[in-house]
Amino acid sequence: MENLIPNDISRCNDYKCPTKFCCARFKQLYIDRKNGNTVWTSDFEGRKKTGLCEYFLNVDVVDS
């Protein structure tokens, strides 16, 4: 699988976030795990925010 974001950008592990399916930070974590890569993750607490969290990266506009 192709990477969505570079390795120096933190991944998000907030599986309860309502925007996780279109956020590159969350989707990249799945790709990393599938490829056997160990990466640092953060819980940006998107589930507690109204609208997009300030760490959201849209999958469609992220340039790898």
Side-chain angles (χ1 to χ4, degrees):
M1 271 186 170
E2 187 175 323
N3 287 333
L4 300 173
I5 57 177
N7 287 337
D8 61 343
I9 296 178
S10 184
R11 277 64 165 148
C12 181
N13 62 0
D14 183 4
Y15 67 93
K16 292 183 179 181
C17 179
T19 60
K20 69 182 179 188
F21 296 109
C22 57
C23 182
R25 290 182 188 271
F26 186 83
K27 291 180 77 77
Q28 184 64 49
L29 181 59
Y30 170 78
I31 293 169
D32 291 334
R33 287 181 177 165
K34 187 168 181 125
N35 291 335
N37 299 331
T38 303
V39 293
W40 292 98
T41 61
S42 299
D43 182 354
F44 294 113
E45 299 183 347
R47 66 192 171 278
K48 296 180 180 179
K49 298 176 174 116
T50 303
L52 297 177
C53 94
E54 59 269 18
Y55 302 102
F56 176 81
L57 295 175
N58 191 333
V59 172
D60 296 329
V61 298
V62 174
D63 185 17
S64 54

